[in-house]
């Protein structure tokens, strides 16, 4: 038995909750992975996992072994990396998940610089507004906006985006230009961004005299995807509140007009996020460092 490989196989099964997903993430046949885990159980003379038709869970002994094995694997990788990183060129496959408008307007325009610096790194972009599970989804990192509430993840702040309230000139001619946020309650058609997870509409947020306020009124139209949300505003369907980077070219062209500028809410934070129990590969380290260097400017066009 290759004990080190068996430990890697076991920890990945625990993290993904599935033999199939673990095998995919390690790029090995599921039969090989199952044999490795079984051989580890025989070697230790304990049962590490309970297998059912729907899920895989650790036994009490398996949970304890996972914590100790993970520390060993991380220590080994840290030792290897300390000797290898300074001498090697980062290479390999990187899987990154990012929201739709952030991919289109920020990350993808910046990527030629990264690909030129690190030509041996291949990137798969998962583009969707619905957040992905980093472990079961076999993703190296995600780029997320907004507050973070998952303590099992490590996050690095990579910039802030201004939130802008806007509509087409035609809409404002027909419905009037609100002079202050509360006027949005007076017959205006709001196009709300719906949470892809909960389906609830995000409120329109504003700030006055340093204090945050929210406008919650029934929306005229709700959209749960960022590019379609913007398209609804460009089509004249109503007022939206969205990221400044997403609408900059529309503001410049006059397709959309900003309103309530003096009440712009607090800037929206963005983070690159990765699991705390997964070792940082060289390629992921350089990607995170690169994001910290270039991403803030991408979030603030014209700054």
């Amino acid at each position: 038995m290759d004990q080190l490989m068996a430990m890697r196989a076991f920890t990945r099964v625990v993290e993904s909750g599935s033999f199939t997903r673990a095998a995919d993430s390690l790029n090995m046949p599921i039969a090989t992975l199952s044999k490795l885990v079984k051989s580890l159980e025989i070697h230790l003379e304990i049962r590490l996992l309970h297998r059912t038709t729907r899920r895989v869970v650790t036994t009490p002994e398996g949970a304890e072994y996972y914590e100790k094995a993970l520390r060993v694997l991380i220590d080994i990788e840290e030792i290897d990396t300390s000797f290898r990183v300074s001498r090697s060129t980062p290479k390999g496959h990187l899987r990154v998940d990012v929201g739709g408008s952030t991919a289109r307007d920020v990350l993808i325009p910046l990527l030629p610089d990264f690909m030129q610096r690190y030509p041996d790194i291949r990137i798969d972009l998962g583009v969707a507004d619905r957040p992905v599970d980093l472990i079961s989804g076999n993703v190296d990192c995600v780029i997320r906006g907004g507050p973070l509430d998952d303590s099992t993840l490590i996050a690095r702040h990579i910039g802030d985006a201004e939130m802008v309230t806007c509509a087409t000139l035609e809409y404002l001619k027909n419905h009037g230009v609100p002079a202050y946020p509360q006027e949005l309650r007076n017959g205006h058609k709001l196009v709300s961004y719906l949470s892809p997870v909960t389906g609830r509409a995000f409120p329109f947020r504003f700030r006055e005299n340093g204090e945050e306020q929210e406008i919650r009124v029934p929306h005229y139209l709700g959209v749960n995807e960022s590019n379609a949300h913007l398209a609804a505003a460009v089509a004249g369907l109503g007022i939206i509140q969205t990221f400044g980077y997403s609408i900059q070219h529309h503001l410049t062209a006059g397709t959309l007009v900003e309103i309530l500028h003096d009440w712009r809410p607090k800037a929206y934070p963005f983070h690159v996020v990765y699991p705390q129990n997964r070792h940082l590969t060289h390629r992921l380290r350089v990607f995170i460092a690169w994001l910290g260097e270039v991403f803030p400017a991408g979030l603030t066009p014209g700054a």
Side-chain angles (χ1 to χ4, degrees):
M1 178 188 65
D2 183 337
Q3 187 170 359
L4 191 59
M5 181 57 71
M7 291 168 68
R8 289 195 176 105
F10 167 69
T11 56
R12 191 57 58 89
V13 170
V14 174
E15 291 170 357
S16 63
S18 161
F19 275 78
T20 301
R21 288 194 292 264
D24 288 343
S25 70
L26 291 170
N27 195 27
M28 70 170 57
I30 188 170
T32 302
L33 182 136
S34 296
K35 185 177 180 180
L36 283 168
V37 174
K38 185 63 177 177
S39 64
L40 186 61
E41 290 180 318
I42 293 172
H43 171 71
L44 296 171
E45 299 181 349
I46 58 173
R47 189 171 186 176
L48 298 171
L49 298 168
H50 286 304
R51 303 165 179 83
T52 70
T53 56
R54 293 190 175 183
R55 58 184 303 199
V56 178
V57 296
T58 57
T59 63
E61 295 81 6
E64 181 181 358
Y65 185 80
Y66 168 77
E67 295 296 334
K68 293 180 178 179
L70 187 63
R71 288 198 295 270
V72 170
L73 292 173
I74 290 175
D75 286 344
I76 290 172
E77 292 191 19
E78 288 287 354
I79 293 169
D80 289 348
T81 300
S82 67
F83 284 93
R84 189 174 58 235
V85 166
S86 62
R87 302 174 179 85
S88 66
T89 300
K91 62 182 66 175
H93 200 184
L94 198 59
R95 297 172 179 86
V96 181
D97 194 82
V98 61
S101 66
T102 309
R104 183 196 64 197
D105 297 314
V106 184
L107 182 60
I108 290 176
L110 293 171
L111 270 182
D113 174 68
F114 181 82
M115 308 300 270
Q116 184 177 18
R117 294 193 202 185
Y118 305 105
D120 294 327
I121 296 179
R122 296 179 296 115
I123 295 180
D124 282 355
L125 283 184
V127 181
D129 286 356
R130 179 179 291 273
V132 68
D133 187 308
L134 277 81
I135 302 299
S136 63
N138 191 25
V139 175
D140 293 294
C141 68
V142 301
I143 297 171
R144 289 181 180 169
L148 300 172
D149 54 8
D150 191 338
S151 61
T152 67
L153 302 175
I154 296 176
R156 174 173 173 178
H157 181 243
I158 53 173
D160 301 282
E162 291 290 341
M163 298 296 292
V164 176
T165 310
C166 61
T168 61
L169 186 59
E170 187 67 20
Y171 171 89
L172 297 173
K173 285 180 179 178
N174 292 334
H175 296 85
V177 180
Y180 50 89
Q182 292 299 331
E183 282 195 11
L184 294 180
R185 302 180 185 276
N186 300 332
H188 277 287
K189 296 180 178 180
L190 304 187
V191 178
S192 294
Y193 180 75
L194 305 180
S195 167
V197 177
T198 67
R200 299 192 189 95
F202 283 92
F204 281 55
R205 292 185 171 89
F206 299 94
R207 182 167 51 177
E208 183 175 12
N209 298 325
E211 293 187 5
E212 299 287 329
Q213 58 176 296
E214 295 181 350
I215 303 295
R216 294 179 182 270
V217 296
H219 53 263
Y220 175 67
L221 174 67
V223 185
N224 71 348
E225 196 278 327
S226 51
N227 291 312
H229 182 234
L230 173 58
V234 174
L237 289 169
I239 297 172
I240 68 167
Q241 188 173 76
T242 190
F243 301 121
Y245 64 75
S246 180
I247 61 168
Q248 184 59 46
H249 66 286
H250 289 291
L251 296 177
T252 302
T255 313
L256 294 172
V257 178
E258 181 178 6
I259 59 175
L260 303 172
H261 178 276
D262 292 341
W263 287 268
R264 273 190 181 186
K266 185 178 179 181
Y268 207 71
F270 275 76
H271 300 83
V272 56
V273 183
Y274 55 93
Q276 65 177 346
N277 59 354
R278 185 172 299 175
H279 175 69
L280 280 182
T281 61
H282 192 188
R283 57 186 175 274
L284 182 54
R285 286 180 187 274
V286 298
F287 183 71
I288 291 172
W290 174 80
L291 285 175
E293 176 187 340
V294 305
F295 211 76
L299 292 174
T300 54

